[in-house]
Amino acid sequence: MPDGLAGTGRQVEIAFAGAAGERTFLRRQRVAYPFHLGRALYLPGDPVEFCTVYLQSCSGGIFQKDRLGLAFTAGPRACAHLTTAASTVVHTMLEDHAEQDVLIRADEGAFVEYLPDPLILFPDVRLRNTVTVRAHPDATVVVADSFLAHDPSDAGRSFDWLRSETRVEDEGGALLAADRFAIGGRQLAAAQVGIQGTATMQASLMVVQRSRPGDALAALRSALPDDGVVYAGASLLPGGAGAWMRLLSADAVALRRVVRDAWSRVRECFAGSAPGIRRK
């Protein structure tokens, strides 16, 4: 599969290449403001093939009128872990909205993990966030998506709206599964019984794995908590695309712990070993 990056107009364009038993490396990279890409890391405890890279924001977050685009391509048998250096602050927007669009392409035998830290939504934020996964049937792609609301002034204000979509497509771009939601800050703050209650923090973990969807589901369900602090459920994706987990909580630390545990179980299932500790 060609990397398909040239001429996309995105601020981040990264292509990974690899082979069985060899380190994955950055075959091509183009990173423009407001992003910065850290060096390729090979962390203790990871399989030899895995390359870890951290994305950082030079601007301090996402601002109104931002139109951000990121594209990641993993060639055959490349193994890449992509994450952020910290949570991304989405700043107050008085006039417009912001958009972030992420495209992940995974070729045969590739293993891609896109696990950014949560979005922190400030008051009056309006954000459209889209992630598209285009994967070979024998590829594995793990995607996390999470957010929480925060008012620095502690005045009871909240974000305006968040519209989020995660799409799973085959190699030709045909849609296999989609997760979409739209939520308003006032709706979230209302703590409506039967919807989200007091659980104002949300996360999802999607495992795109078309050849072993049942194993993906079993890995996610093995991490489901039973302490009542995090409410979570896991099910198969439609179209035989894999499995996913949705989580709600009022405790950010507990939510992060469950997401990490689920990711660890998935990594162990499909790569043979759990990931080592990543300090941020």
Side-chain angles (χ1 to χ4, degrees), residues 199-221:
T200 56
M201 304 168 191
Q202 179 175 303
S204 63
L205 190 67
M206 186 174 290
V207 184
V208 179
Q209 230 297 337
R210 293 164 61 192
S211 60
R212 296 168 56 191
D215 290 342
L217 179 60
L220 291 177
R221 286 185 170 171

Side-chain angles (χ1 to χ4, degrees), residues 2-90:
D3 61 38
L5 298 181
T8 65
R10 300 170 186 261
Q11 290 92 341
V12 176
E13 300 173 342
I14 302 172
F16 295 91
E22 298 181 8
R23 284 183 169 183
T24 293
F25 62 94
L26 287 165
R27 186 177 68 80
R28 178 169 181 254
Q29 60 176 305
R30 175 185 177 276
V31 181
Y33 185 84
F35 295 100
H36 169 74
L37 183 69
R39 60 174 293 183
L41 302 174
Y42 302 92
L43 301 181
D46 280 354
V48 66
E49 296 90 350
F50 265 86
C51 172
T52 294
V53 294
Y54 286 79
L55 273 172
Q56 295 174 294
S57 171
C58 299
S59 65
I62 298 177
F63 296 82
Q64 67 180 5
K65 299 185 180 180
D66 276 352
R67 301 296 185 265
L68 306 177
L70 303 90
F72 308 112
T73 295
R77 293 168 295 284
C79 298
H81 175 90
L82 298 133
T83 187
T84 52
S87 294
T88 299
V89 174
V90 189

